Amino acid sequence: MGKDDLIKKLRQGNFVRANGEVLRMINLLRSKYNKLSGIGRVLAERGIAEDEFVDSVNFLAEEGYIHLREVATKEAASLADSDYADLEAKLTGKGIRLLAGGITDNQIEI
């Protein structure tokens, strides 16, 4: 396996791990929204870089595991149209099912 293949495999592993970390962190207050800026700070202490965090939030939202909304207006939002520091998130039913083991996703380490 070449150097490029090893780097690709490492990044894929980090992505899968980060997805699980982000999902579990958002789950801490399952029925409440959590500010992404606060979650990002906590996960940075756990070794998840800001770009990895943003990639995971984007993936989880696009796959329907989390719902995003603007902190100020409480209106639904997407990461593509907003700065993540202006957003908050909570798990969807699909996200709760994933954490409870009702469904699986090979891109999320639970």
Side-chain angles (χ1 to χ4, degrees):
M1 187 178 289
K3 180 181 176 183
D4 290 341
D5 291 334
L6 289 173
I7 291 171
K8 183 178 177 183
K9 196 167 192 73
L10 179 62
R11 284 185 182 146
Q12 287 171 339
N14 287 346
F15 179 70
V16 171
R17 182 181 70 83
N19 289 340
E21 289 278 345
V22 171
L23 199 64
R24 284 189 299 279
M25 188 62 62
I26 292 171
N27 184 52
L28 289 177
L29 295 171
R30 185 179 299 181
S31 63
K32 305 281 185 191
Y33 279 86
N34 292 287
K35 291 182 182 178
L36 292 182
S37 57
I39 294 168
R41 282 191 297 275
V42 171
L43 291 176
E45 294 173 7
R46 292 182 171 190
I48 295 178
E50 182 179 24
D51 61 328
E52 293 174 315
F53 172 68
V54 172
D55 285 347
S56 290
V57 168
N58 185 57
F59 171 77
L60 294 169
E62 293 295 322
E63 290 295 314
Y65 294 116
I66 61 173
H67 181 263
L68 300 175
R69 73 178 188 185
E70 291 185 14
V71 173
T73 65
K74 306 300 186 208
E75 292 185 20
S78 74
L79 195 56
D81 297 326
S82 306
D83 183 331
Y84 85 86
D86 298 330
L87 300 176
E88 54 191 6
K90 77 176 194 81
L91 265 64
T92 63
K94 184 178 179 182
I96 294 168
R97 277 193 301 279
L98 178 72
L99 287 178
I103 59 174
T104 60
D105 188 319
N106 65 0
Q107 294 300 302
I108 303 172
E109 183 179 289
I110 301 299

